[in-house]
């Protein structure tokens, strides 16, 4: 039996267990050839479609039926005479795509557009005709999934078609719903194509469509796409996995025993719940096998238990019973109800062991959560309905647009962003960076890289003052990515960051829940460094950095001056005779001088020590030399400050620690000069992890100028600390 046939048999068995009739596409094709029928008696193909639609949307009235009938008539008549590569009438394809969406609960507008999705691309029907017959909303969806002509775009047709589709999805996520269902049916029927073409389509599906299905939360489509692609690209591993699943099916069902025990526990707790076994699909089993290092899987590894309840509170009640009556595997517990995934998914995950030590994974969710978990964005119905309208809808019956009840839709709105549930954060980021990637190859490679990042984190930002907010980034994003996510092209002005209140390198990888403060330089000449590309993971950041570096191939590094700047004259000091010392020692006749190792300045606490020649050297009390000489038994001499200013002013050494950036040295020396302070010497240490330390020995006109100078230096962008020198012991000479 071929892989496709085996998969179809398995799907048919699952459909029978759910009470669903298997759809025979060949029979539907023959029915389509009978023509549109009459208004009173629709062809068998459309009859089944309407039956499925009404089962999901009981409120769909005669107007919805009439709209679908007219769409079918137009599609059938337009495609009449066309056949697929399999030889089936072409109308079987739009019918199959529409039935997939109907099974997932899509509303009437989506189904109408799905029936017509190939008419403009493959027939003489125009968008104007669709607009005249079905309105602007259906026309937008049809146009969104219509491919661009290879005649006009050549090799760029495929990436540009996806760009067009994604831009359309930014306004209406139903565009991508139709595309995903379209790709699923095409992959189901790839067997008639050449192996090389099968592989090419399967790779694009793996790299682009499957990640999109995951991000849109449409798990029902994603799982089948994964299995179909797995069978095409890795036939040997797929066959091995299927053989393992088949062998397990012949063994006693371990999960069935645990499920019965669980039902009994919940009945005794008076919790109304439905317990079902949820088999793992082939790719899920294969991943688990790889995770276990190829070790043999047990009976409980081929599926999970699914518990469906009515309300959110019931989920936690079930969890309490599970962890009370069974032994919980704590490491396996995850709460995606309190913290939903970025793709709408909500559920409690846990694992339990029964009295014999047999372990089973358990998923607990409400029935509405289950619908969202299966259908994702399709469960949103009309994305343009206001959140207020959806929250006002009856919780027991779906609103007219085909959305969810109040509780579930509130959760959906929360998961997708309280303001606009139609445009998740990842899609907004994608739409932003794609505008900066005019080259199709750049867009195509960046799109694949973006979609490969399948998890999101939330980072809280504080841009100084009261400005704050949250941003969503792909897992593994760095501070560089965050800078460009918040400021766009202005991210190049980022000179440093504080992560959770602590200064961190720009290459720091952010984690979920981190607090981030971006430090920006207002200078127009600020620019990214080439090494930023090593830290950037998002296409938005990489494209912006690459473009700037290409436009500025030889940036000037202002942090490497040829020589230290010349000292600027200090303000005129008070006229005091040079013979009159600024400090006086309690040692009659002794000359007094200030130590250069710690450069004491009034009103520093100071002490003195006698050196050769009988002179007294004055040190700050906290100077390491003070401790060294005291420990050596040297006797200190009391000294004090005189209320005078030396002729040359006071010398002090200050250190500034900052984030490395262009023009930092120039900005600091300018601030020092503005304060009327002269620079005796300056030294700049080589940057380490984007940090740099500047050391300045300055001449102060009066002691009070020191505090003002240090405040002014701290105000320079990028400077995060300024302090007096604390020299090492070996640096002091008395």
């Amino acid at each position: 039996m071929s892989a496709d046939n085996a998969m179809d048999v398995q799907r048919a068995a699952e459909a029978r267990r759910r009470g669903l009739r298997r759809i025979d596409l060949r029979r539907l094709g023959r029915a389509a050839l009978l023509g549109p029928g009459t208004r009173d008696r629709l062809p068998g193909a459309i009859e089944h479609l309407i039956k499925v639609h009404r089962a999901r949307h009981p409120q769909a009235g005669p107007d919805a039926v009439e709209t679908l009938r007219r769409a079918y008539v137009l599609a059938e008549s337009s495609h009449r005479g066309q056949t697929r590569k399999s030889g089936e009438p072409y109308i079987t394809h739009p019918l199959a795509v529409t039935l997939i969406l109907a099974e997932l609960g899509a509303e009437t507008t989506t189904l109408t557009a799905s029936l017509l999705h190939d008419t403009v691309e493959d027939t003489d029907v125009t968008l104007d005709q669709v607009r005249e017959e079905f309105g602007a909303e259906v026309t937008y969806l049809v146009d969104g999934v219509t491919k661009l002509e290879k005649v006009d775009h050549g090799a760029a047709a495929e990436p540009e078609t996806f760009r067009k589709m994604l831009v359309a999805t930014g306004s209406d996520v139903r565009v991508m719903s139709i595309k995903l269902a379209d790709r699923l049916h095409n992959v189901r029927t790839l067997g008639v194509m050449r192996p090389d073409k099968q592989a090419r389509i399967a790779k694009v599906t793996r790299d682009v469509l499957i990640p999109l299905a995951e991000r849109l939360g449409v798990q029902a489509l994603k799982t089948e796409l994964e299995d179909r692609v797995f069978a095409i690209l890795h036939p040997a591993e797929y066959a091995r996995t299927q053989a393992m699943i088949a062998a397990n099916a012949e063994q006693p069902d371990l999960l069935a025993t645990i499920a019965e025990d669980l039902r009994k526990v919940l009945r005794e707790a008076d919790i109304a719940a439905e317990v079902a076994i949820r088999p793992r699909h082939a790719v899920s089993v294969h991943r688990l096998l790889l995770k276990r290092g190829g070790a043999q899987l047990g009976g409980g590894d081929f599926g999970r238990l699914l518990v469906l309840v009515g309300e959110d509170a019931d989920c936690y009640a079930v969890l309490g019973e599970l962890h009370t009556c069974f032994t919980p595997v704590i490491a396996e517990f995850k709460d995606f109800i309190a913290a939903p995934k970025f793709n709408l998914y909500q559920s409690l995950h846990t694992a339990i062991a029964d009295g014999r030590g047999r372990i089973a994974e358990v998923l607990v969710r409400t029935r509405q959560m289950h619908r969202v978990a299966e259908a994702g964005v399709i469960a949103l119905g009309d994305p343009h309905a206001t959140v207020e309208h959806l929250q006002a809808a009856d919780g027991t019956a779906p609103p007219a647009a085909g959305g969810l009840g109040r509780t579930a839709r509130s959760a959906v709105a929360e998961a997708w962003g309280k303001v606009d549930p139609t445009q998740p954060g990842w899609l907004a980021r994608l739409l932003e960076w794609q505008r900066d990637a005019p080259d199709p190859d750049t867009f195509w490679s960046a799109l694949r890289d973006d979609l490969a990042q399948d998890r999101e984190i939330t980072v809280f930002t504080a841009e100084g003052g009261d400005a704050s907010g949250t941003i969503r980034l792909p897992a593994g994003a760095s501070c560089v990515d965050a800078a460009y996510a918040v400021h766009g092209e202005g991210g190049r002005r980022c000179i440093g960051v504080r992560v959770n209140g602590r200064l961190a390198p720009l290459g720091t990888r952010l984690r979920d829940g981190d607090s981030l403060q971006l430090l920006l330089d207002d200078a127009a000449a600020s620019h990214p460094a080439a090494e930023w590309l090593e830290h950037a993971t998002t296409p938005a950041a990489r494209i912006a950095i690459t473009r700037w570096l290409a436009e500025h191939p030889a940036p000037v590094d202002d942090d490497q001056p040829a020589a230290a700047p010349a000292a600027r004259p200090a303000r005129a000091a008070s006229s005091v005779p040079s013979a009159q010392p600024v400090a006086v020692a309690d040692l009659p006749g002794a000359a007094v001088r200030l130590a250069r190792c710690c450069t004491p300045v009034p009103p520093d606490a100071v002490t003195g020590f006698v050196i050769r020649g009988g002179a007294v050297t004055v040190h700050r009390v906290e100077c390491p030399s003070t401790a060294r000489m005291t420990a050596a038994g040297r006797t200190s001499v009391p000294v004090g400050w005189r209320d005078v200013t030396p002729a040359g002013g006071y010398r002090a050494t200050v250190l500034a620690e900052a984030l490395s950036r262009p023009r930092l040295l120039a900005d600091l020396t300018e601030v020092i000069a503005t304060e009327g302070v002269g620079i005796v010497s300056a030294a700049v240490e080589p940057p380490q992890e984007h940090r740099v330390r500047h050391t300045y020995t300055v001449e102060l006109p009066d002691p009070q100028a020191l505090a003002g100078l240090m405040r002014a230096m701290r105000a320079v962008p990028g400077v995060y600390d300024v302090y007096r020198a604390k020299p090492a012991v070996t640096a002091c000479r008395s």
Side-chain angles (χ1 to χ4, degrees):
M1 181 182 293
S2 70
D4 281 352
N5 289 337
M7 201 175 301
D8 290 340
V9 169
Q10 181 182 1
R11 210 174 316 284
E14 292 173 358
R16 284 194 296 272
R17 286 196 295 271
R18 297 196 306 267
L20 298 177
R21 183 161 59 87
R22 173 67 177 164
I23 307 301
D24 184 352
L25 294 180
R26 293 185 183 275
R27 183 186 61 78
L28 291 179
R30 290 192 293 272
L33 292 176
L34 298 176
T38 65
R39 293 174 64 90
D40 299 325
R41 187 178 183 282
L42 300 177
I46 195 69
E47 279 181 346
H48 182 78
L49 171 62
I50 290 172
K51 180 180 177 181
V52 173
H53 182 43
R54 280 181 162 171
R56 303 295 184 273
H57 299 280
Q59 79 284 357
D63 289 345
V65 173
E66 174 64 15
T67 300
L68 291 174
R69 186 196 71 82
R70 289 191 292 111
Y72 171 79
V73 169
L74 178 58
E76 192 280 329
S77 60
S78 301
H79 290 296
R80 188 175 296 168
Q82 296 178 345
T83 58
R84 308 193 79 216
K85 290 187 182 297
S86 61
E88 294 174 328
Y90 195 89
I91 189 63
T92 58
H93 171 65
L95 273 171
V97 172
T98 308
L99 280 168
I100 290 169
L101 292 168
E103 290 281 2
L104 291 171
E107 34 66 60
T108 306
T109 301
T110 303
L111 300 183
T112 303
S114 177
L115 283 169
L116 301 169
H117 79 272
D118 275 341
T119 54
V120 174
E121 181 180 326
D122 295 333
T123 76
D124 293 332
V125 175
T126 65
L127 286 174
D128 288 338
Q129 287 176 287
V130 175
R131 183 179 294 104
E132 182 179 349
E133 194 70 24
F134 299 98
E137 199 170 356
V138 170
T139 305
Y140 184 86
L141 299 180
V142 172
D143 184 35
V145 295
T146 299
K147 295 178 183 176
L148 298 174
E149 293 288 346
K150 284 190 175 181
V151 174
D152 299 327
H153 296 271
E158 185 173 36
E160 289 303 325
T161 292
F162 271 97
R163 188 202 297 264
K164 170 177 175 278
M165 224 173 293
L166 288 166
V167 171
T169 300
S171 297
D172 197 322
V173 289
R174 292 176 292 184
V175 170
M176 194 53 65
S177 301
I178 298 172
K179 178 59 183 177
L180 290 171
D182 172 66
R183 179 52 61 97
L184 175 58
H185 183 248
N186 283 333
V187 172
R188 282 178 179 175
T189 56
L190 276 183
V192 298
M193 293 186 176
R194 300 191 315 270
D196 60 323
K197 192 166 185 180
Q198 289 185 42
R200 187 187 68 79
I201 294 174
K203 288 176 181 177
V204 173
T205 303
R206 177 196 62 193
D207 295 342
V208 179
L209 272 303
I210 288 175
L212 283 170
E214 167 70 16
R215 292 188 178 206
L216 292 171
V218 194
Q219 294 297 320
L221 294 181
K222 179 210 168 193
T223 53
E224 186 178 347
L225 282 172
E226 282 185 327
D227 283 358
R228 298 276 181 181
V229 167
F230 185 35
I232 294 170
L233 297 180
H234 306 283
E237 293 181 32
Y238 175 78
R240 177 187 171 212
T241 305
Q242 287 291 78
M244 292 176 59
I245 294 173
N248 178 73
E250 297 175 358
Q251 303 299 320
D253 196 341
L254 167 66
L255 290 176
T257 304
I258 300 178
E260 190 53 45
D261 293 341
L262 179 53
R263 291 188 189 98
K264 181 180 177 181
V265 166
L266 296 179
R267 279 197 303 269
E268 292 175 352
D270 198 24
I271 299 175
E274 176 185 349
V275 180
I277 298 173
R278 187 174 178 83
R280 289 183 184 272
H281 62 108
V283 169
S284 180
V285 172
H286 181 66
R287 286 174 180 154
L288 186 60
L289 190 65
L290 294 177
K291 182 180 178 181
R292 301 277 177 84
Q296 187 67 31
L297 299 182
D301 293 326
F302 289 87
R304 291 177 285 190
L305 298 182
L306 174 64
V307 182
L308 299 180
V309 294
E311 300 293 337
D312 292 12
D314 295 335
C315 295
Y316 293 97
V318 169
L319 182 68
E321 294 298 326
L322 285 171
H323 287 188
T324 300
C325 300
F326 299 91
T327 302
V329 182
I330 301 300
E332 297 296 325
F333 174 68
K334 297 182 182 67
D335 187 346
F336 294 118
I337 295 178
K341 289 186 179 182
F342 70 94
N343 62 355
L344 309 180
Y345 181 85
Q346 288 186 289
S347 189
L348 294 178
H349 288 206
T350 190
I352 56 172
D354 66 1
R356 298 184 183 180
R358 299 175 299 186
I359 295 176
E361 293 183 46
V362 186
L363 312 177
V364 185
R365 60 178 73 137
T366 67
R367 291 175 180 83
Q368 291 173 322
M369 290 175 191
H370 182 61
R371 181 184 171 195
V372 174
E374 292 293 295
V377 66
I378 298 175
L380 286 173
D382 180 2
H384 300 292
T386 62
V387 173
E388 291 79 7
H389 166 73
L390 291 162
Q391 289 178 337
D394 190 324
T396 59
L404 301 174
R406 180 177 58 201
T407 303
R409 188 51 190 262
S410 297
V412 169
E414 178 74 21
W416 278 63
K418 296 179 181 179
V419 177
D420 183 4
T422 70
Q423 191 173 95
W426 66 265
L427 181 55
R429 291 196 305 272
L430 189 154
L431 295 175
E432 182 68 27
W433 68 253
Q434 67 85 24
R435 287 196 291 265
D436 298 324
D439 175 48
D441 291 336
T442 300
F443 166 76
W444 197 229
S445 60
L447 176 64
R448 295 182 185 210
D449 291 343
D450 193 327
L451 294 176
Q453 300 160 345
D454 59 354
R455 292 191 304 110
E456 274 196 350
I457 59 173
T458 300
V459 176
F460 301 91
T461 62
E463 297 303 305
D466 297 327
S468 63
T470 61
I471 55 172
R472 289 184 179 272
L473 295 167
S478 69
C479 297
V480 171
D481 297 309
Y484 281 92
V486 174
H487 297 288
E489 289 288 340
R492 63 183 175 81
R493 298 188 294 114
C494 186
I495 56 174
V497 291
R498 291 183 186 274
V499 178
N500 300 323
R502 299 173 66 92
L503 196 73
L506 287 174
T508 301
R509 299 296 168 185
L510 297 169
R511 295 177 296 180
D512 199 35
D514 277 348
S515 175
L516 177 70
Q517 182 181 2
L518 299 169
L519 308 176
L520 304 181
D521 180 15
D522 293 331
S526 297
H527 59 77
E531 59 265 25
W532 284 19
L533 285 172
E534 300 175 10
H535 308 313
T537 61
T538 60
R542 294 188 64 83
I543 289 172
I545 296 168
T546 302
R547 183 173 58 246
W548 196 96
L549 293 175
E551 294 173 354
H552 304 78
V556 178
D557 189 352
D558 291 328
D559 264 348
Q560 302 297 329
R568 303 198 183 192
R571 290 195 297 257
S574 303
S575 179
V576 178
S578 59
Q580 190 174 15
V582 68
V584 60
D586 190 13
L587 190 63
V592 177
R593 74 180 191 187
L594 303 181
R596 295 190 178 276
C597 60
C598 56
T599 57
V601 174
D604 291 342
V606 290
T607 187
F609 293 91
V610 178
I611 59 174
R612 291 189 189 93
V616 175
T617 303
V618 179
H619 293 264
R620 289 158 57 191
V621 170
E622 64 267 27
C623 178
S625 293
T626 301
R628 177 174 60 83
M629 288 187 284
T630 301
R634 306 247 324 244
T635 303
S636 62
V637 177
V639 294
W641 296 107
R642 293 175 58 88
D643 190 17
V644 295
T645 301
Y650 297 94
R651 286 193 176 187
T653 301
V654 293
L655 285 81
E657 293 198 0
L659 300 159
S660 179
R661 66 169 178 84
R663 293 193 53 79
L664 177 62
L665 180 60
D667 290 345
L668 280 170
T669 54
E670 183 177 356
V671 163
I672 294 172
T674 302
E675 291 295 310
V677 175
I679 299 176
V680 177
S681 65
V684 180
E685 297 180 12
Q688 293 185 354
E689 293 188 332
H690 303 288
R691 307 181 199 185
V692 64
R693 181 161 63 184
H694 291 206
T695 303
Y696 299 93
T697 299
V698 295
E699 236 173 36
L700 304 167
D702 56 70
Q704 290 74 27
L706 181 60
L709 172 66
M710 294 173 70
R711 282 195 300 270
M713 292 174 69
R714 287 192 186 101
V716 172
V719 176
Y720 58 87
D721 200 6
V722 176
Y723 53 89
R724 295 279 300 281
K726 296 178 181 179
V729 175
T730 55
C732 300
R733 295 288 184 267
S734 297

